[in-house]
Amino acid sequence: SSRRRMRAEVRELGVPADAHALESEPAGTDPGEVPEVGVRQPEPEPTWQVEQGGLFYLINLLNHPLIRQRLFADADAMAFPSGWGWLFRLGEALGLAPEPALTHCLAGLSGLPEQHFLAQLPALGLAPAIVAWAEQRYRGHGIAWPVVLARTAHIEYRRPELDVSFRMADLEVGIRHVGLDIDPGWVDWLGTVVRFHYRGAAGWSR
């Protein structure tokens, strides 16, 4: 399969020592080629409400061309059952202790029972380097990861579209300035169209 051929061409990358290690292009990768990432159909559960919804902002971080290229070239990253696992592990690397509701949501989006989702997640070896790169990129913009990640969100899934709604009161200038809350749109490694919304009190009540 193309995925096996891709893995055969990938050299052992290891974990870059610092953020600058991400700047070099990995050998054997074509920036225009999208490898096959395991994408399963979610459980038939259309909505979730979580208190750590800022994790979904990290889709834009992982979707940065430099980061996605390194992820696609990393054999360990490509062993994940779905790209939602990348999001889970990156949140942990940023100090997040995922709440049960968030874990349930990500497992559902991965199309796996919760216990299988957790059991099948390997370590994300590139996570420390991604965190270092993000700290450098967003320095000076007031991005405090514990605050960014810990915000209530209402998640609605209608295949293949995912709508993540935040309270209007939680709109933050720093997040907007660095583009973490722009609509990701079609995300190939999730097999999903992702949109962010900010809603007032009337639109929030459900």
Side-chain angles (χ1 to χ4, degrees), residues 16-37:
D18 54 33
H20 298 292
L22 284 172
E23 299 299 333
S24 59
E25 286 191 6
T29 58
D30 180 355
E33 180 180 345
V34 178
E36 298 173 9
V37 180

Side-chain angles (χ1 to χ4, degrees), residues 138-145 147-148 151 172-175 177-178:
Y138 302 135
R139 183 174 298 140
H141 294 286
I143 299 298
W145 293 114
V147 177
V148 169
R151 58 193 60 217
E172 192 172 311
V173 174
I175 293 173
H177 188 70
V178 299

